[in-house]
Amino acid sequence: MRVIRLVAVNVFKESVRDKVLYNLVAFAVLLIASTFLLGQLTAGQDIKIIKDLGLAAISLFGLMIAVFIGIGLVWKEVDKRSIYGVLSKPVRRSEFVLGKFFGLLLTLMVNLLVMTAAFYAVLALNAWMASPSTLAAMNAPAADPAMLKAILLIGIELTLVTAIALFFSTFSSPFLSAGLTVGLWVIGHFNADFRDFGAIVDSPAAVWLTRALYYLLPNFAAFDIKSQVVWGEPVAGSDLALTVLYGLVYVTLVVTGAVTIFARRDLK
């Protein structure tokens, strides 16, 4: 655990010094702040506009951070040959991969907190400026704590994206890893189509294949409850817990796969 912690802290420090990370976070905060101005252009829907765009910005920029930093975590060390110096020390390959994962995860969660704080600050400002009649007509409070449920699932989704990016980076180049990770993320948002595909085809083989893909590929759509919380619809605690559990189990499987592949990889 000590080695994993040291590697994770080192990854976090390197990520913090990365100018690309600062640019992404700064742009995300500016985009979230700009939703306040966009909300003023809509009559009576300003709070909903801010909530919708703010949550979308958190999700999008979190995805960019997870992908563009995650894809180079292992490949960069191998390409620069610095991996040999690391592994010559009392560091197992599994500890190296796990440290990289938790370091990026720490970086991601810190930036998620920053974006969440900016998001709630904009909502609080808008609520302070809104008239009492406008506030009374809303389905949910402006700075609704229920939105933290959506942000929690965004965090779990980004954790899974991080694990997938790390998995691909253990055996492929950054460009290919980015394409595979983003492609899997896009497909995962339409996962339900695989389940329903059997109803429109007659081929048993096609039905079996799409069913298998439905269960094997990550269901990223399950983490998307942004519209429910924006419109003040209730989200059951049991459904939230099951989704979190699903995400953590999938993350565990993917990280285990990454550790296994890197442990068997020939670095010569």
Side-chain angles (χ1 to χ4, degrees):
M1 289 298 295
R2 179 178 175 274
V3 174
I4 294 174
R5 184 176 69 253
L6 290 175
V7 174
V9 171
N10 184 62
V11 170
F12 178 74
K13 290 180 179 179
E14 287 182 358
S15 300
V16 168
R17 292 194 294 265
D18 196 330
K19 293 182 179 180
V20 175
L21 177 64
Y22 279 116
N23 292 334
L24 285 174
V25 175
F27 192 72
V29 172
L30 287 174
L31 182 60
I32 293 171
S34 68
T35 60
F36 174 79
L37 300 176
L38 294 174
Q40 302 304 308
L41 302 177
T42 59
Q45 297 293 322
D46 48 345
I47 296 291
K48 288 186 175 64
I49 291 293
I50 293 173
K51 288 181 179 181
D52 200 17
L53 293 180
L55 289 173
I58 291 173
S59 179
L60 176 62
F61 283 94
L63 174 69
M64 293 173 66
I65 292 170
V67 172
F68 290 112
I69 296 181
I71 58 175
L73 279 179
V74 175
W75 180 87
K76 182 171 61 176
E77 300 286 353
V78 175
D79 184 62
K80 293 182 177 180
R81 306 292 182 181
S82 57
I83 185 67
Y84 301 112
V86 174
L87 296 180
S88 65
K89 301 174 182 179
V91 178
R92 293 193 293 267
R93 292 193 183 194
S94 59
E95 294 173 327
F96 174 77
V97 174
L98 289 174
K100 289 287 186 179
F101 171 72
F102 285 114
L104 177 54
L105 188 59
L106 176 60
T107 304
L108 193 61
M109 292 302 113
V110 168
N111 287 287
L112 186 63
L113 288 175
V114 171
M115 291 187 286
T116 300
F119 176 53
Y120 269 93
V122 171
L123 288 172
L125 176 62
N126 193 277
W128 179 69
M129 297 180 62
S131 64
S133 58
T134 300
L135 295 175
M138 291 192 303
N139 296 330
D144 189 1
M147 288 185 298
L148 292 174
K149 295 179 180 180
I151 294 173
L152 170 63
L153 291 189
I154 289 174
I156 299 297
E157 178 183 8
L158 296 179
T159 302
L160 180 52
V161 172
T162 301
I164 292 171
L166 176 67
F167 174 81
F168 287 128
S169 74
T170 58
F171 62 85
S172 62
S173 66
F175 181 79
L176 182 58
S177 296
L180 291 172
T181 303
V182 173
L184 200 56
W185 179 80
V186 172
I187 293 172
H189 277 278
F190 298 95
N191 204 331
D193 293 340
F194 289 121
R195 179 191 58 197
D196 302 330
F197 189 73
I200 58 175
V201 296
D202 297 325
S203 172
V207 172
W208 182 88
L209 176 61
T210 53
R211 279 285 179 176
L213 290 174
Y214 171 73
Y215 287 110
L216 290 175
L217 296 178
N219 184 11
F220 282 110
F223 302 108
D224 187 4
I225 59 169
K226 292 189 287 292
S227 60
Q228 290 96 309
V229 297
V230 167
W231 289 95
E233 298 176 5
V235 178
S238 58
D239 293 339
L240 187 68
L242 285 174
T243 305
V244 170
L245 179 61
Y246 166 77
L248 294 179
V249 169
Y250 211 114
V251 167
T252 302
L253 293 174
V254 174
V255 173
T256 301
V259 169
T260 302
I261 290 175
F262 191 69
R264 298 180 178 181
R265 179 176 176 181
D266 185 4
L267 298 176
K268 296 180 181 180

